[in-house]
Amino acid sequence: MGNKKTKKKLKIVLCIICALIIIAIPICYYLVYISYNHLTVNSYDINSDKINSSVKFVVIGDLHDNTFKDDDRELLKQIKEQNPDFIIADGDILNDDSENSDIAMSFIKRLVKIAPVYYALGNHELEYMENQHSEKLLDEIKSTGATLLEMEYKDIKVNGVDIRIGGMYGYAFDPNGTTKRDDMGDGIYDFLTEFEDTSSYKIMMSHRPDSFVFGEASKAWDIDLVVSSHDHGGQVIVPFLGGLYGGDQGYFPEYIHGLYKKDNMQLLITSGLGSNTQKLPRFNNVPEIMVVNLKK
């Protein structure tokens, strides 16, 4: 009699487990699907005494050759609807193992028709050039009409507001642990010293937020806003816990998505539009168009 009751209970437990699995599979599929195919627009307001009239720009990053339905028409439509003064393409628009840059460059060419585009290199652009044994990609980016900024900056005036916008992939901190030393290497010290020497509102495109998160870089450099991507918002968004992983920051990182005040600067990080091949797919993580409103 006891064995019959035990078997019955086991059957009930197995049925419950099977039912949960049956329910979980389509839910998981849906949460992966929307993480590559749906779009969300998130807006952030940033106030500064250096801003005397409103400036709006859009940030996109980490497209990773991802193509949305109707050949990106909806993506481009939503960006255009924001009516941005300019657009930041913050790196990893293609993949390091892409056969060519056609998908990425086609997208940027259409983006330029909406507003001026400033393009920063990500790790995948750099690795793509290494894999192809060619720096032809740099010319391809410039040929789209976008302004490529790597260890360079450009002074622009938008709606009467003076803005200095620059791009840098390298780490802002000193590799020996002391920031602002002449031996930082790769010209980073000289570039940042020149970049910060202006009264204009300063925006630095830095694909990796880690470049300014570590090594007390956020204390050392006089930069108003660092704009980053790279971490895909944590790749996997765990309910109630947030993003799972973020580059050099490891598991459940602090700086992966949104607007942060860190020491002397503000750090703005988009969760991006796609994902390259990783151990885990984007999950519960809708691709993002980030809109930034600079205000007085």
Side-chain angles (χ1 to χ4, degrees):
M1 190 76 175
N3 286 338
K4 285 183 178 179
K5 285 184 178 180
T6 301
K7 287 180 180 179
K8 187 176 181 180
K9 287 179 180 179
L10 283 172
K11 284 182 179 179
I12 293 171
V13 170
L14 287 171
C15 286
I16 292 171
I17 291 171
C18 289
L20 290 173
I21 291 172
I22 290 170
I23 294 170
I25 288 174
I27 291 175
C28 289
Y29 174 82
Y30 173 75
L31 291 175
V32 171
Y33 177 81
I34 63 171
S35 298
Y36 289 90
N37 296 280
H38 287 201
L39 287 166
T40 186
V41 177
N42 292 320
S43 295
Y44 295 86
D45 293 340
I46 297 176
N47 299 310
S48 171
D49 293 338
K50 295 181 180 180
I51 306 298
N52 50 33
S53 64
S54 297
V55 175
K56 178 190 284 189
F57 64 94
V58 162
V59 180
I60 58 104
D62 296 306
L63 184 66
H64 287 292
D65 273 348
N66 187 24
T67 302
F68 293 84
K69 62 182 179 180
D70 298 328
D71 192 28
D72 288 334
R73 287 178 186 172
E74 181 60 27
L75 171 59
L76 290 160
K77 176 176 174 286
Q78 291 203 37
I79 292 173
K80 186 175 182 179
E81 285 176 353
Q82 306 312 314
N83 194 28
D85 294 305
F86 61 90
I87 299 167
I88 286 177
D90 212 10
D92 283 5
I93 306 302
L94 44 60
N95 290 317
D96 60 353
D97 58 356
S98 296
E99 289 185 13
N100 54 56
S101 64
D102 290 355
I103 295 174
M105 295 306 103
S106 172
F107 176 71
I108 296 298
K109 282 178 183 177
R110 288 179 286 170
L111 211 56
V112 167
K113 293 178 181 179
I114 297 173
V117 175
Y118 298 92
Y119 194 121
L121 296 180
N123 52 295
H124 278 263
E125 279 88 359
L126 295 170
E127 290 164 14
Y128 172 87
M129 287 190 287
E130 287 181 13
N131 294 339
Q132 300 282 354
H133 305 291
S134 170
E135 292 190 356
K136 186 173 68 172
L137 177 65
L138 302 181
D139 292 329
E140 291 172 345
I141 293 171
K142 293 174 184 176
S143 71
T144 65
T147 300
L148 174 63
L149 296 173
E150 170 54 30
M151 297 287 283
E152 290 184 278
Y153 64 82
K154 188 175 181 66
D155 289 316
I156 60 176
K157 187 180 283 286
V158 183
N159 301 333
V161 178
D162 293 318
I163 296 174
R164 174 169 288 183
I165 182 167
M168 187 191 79
Y169 178 76
Y171 286 101
F173 58 84
D174 178 72
N176 299 318
T178 305
T179 310
K180 280 199 171 185
R181 282 178 48 179
D182 291 336
D183 61 353
M184 284 180 71
D186 300 320
I188 291 174
Y189 176 85
D190 291 337
F191 169 65
L192 289 176
T193 301
E194 185 177 343
F195 178 80
E196 67 179 2
D197 186 20
T198 179
S199 60
S200 300
Y201 187 81
K202 296 179 281 283
I203 300 174
M204 177 62 73
M205 302 185 296
S206 174
H207 177 71
R208 297 174 298 189
D210 308 330
S211 295
F212 284 88
V213 165
F214 294 113
E216 297 189 333
S218 56
K219 292 180 181 178
W221 301 105
D222 181 15
I223 298 173
D224 297 297
L225 181 66
V226 172
V227 181
S228 300
S229 51
H230 186 59
D231 293 325
H232 306 168
Q235 189 72 5
V236 172
I237 307 299
V238 182
F240 309 111
L241 295 176
L244 178 64
Y245 187 76
D248 293 343
Q249 298 177 65
Y251 289 101
F252 297 107
E254 183 176 357
Y255 302 100
I256 52 168
H257 176 246
L259 180 63
Y260 305 89
K261 179 72 171 70
K262 181 162 175 56
D263 300 316
N264 298 332
M265 62 183 63
Q266 288 185 293
L267 183 60
L268 187 69
I269 309 169
T270 177
S271 58
L273 292 164
S275 172
N276 60 311
T277 302
Q278 298 205 350
K279 292 179 181 178
L280 294 171
R282 281 180 75 112
F283 180 86
N284 191 29
N285 187 1
V286 178
E288 175 185 50
I289 298 167
M290 178 176 271
V291 181
V292 184
N293 298 293
L294 299 180
K295 296 184 175 182
K296 187 175 180 180

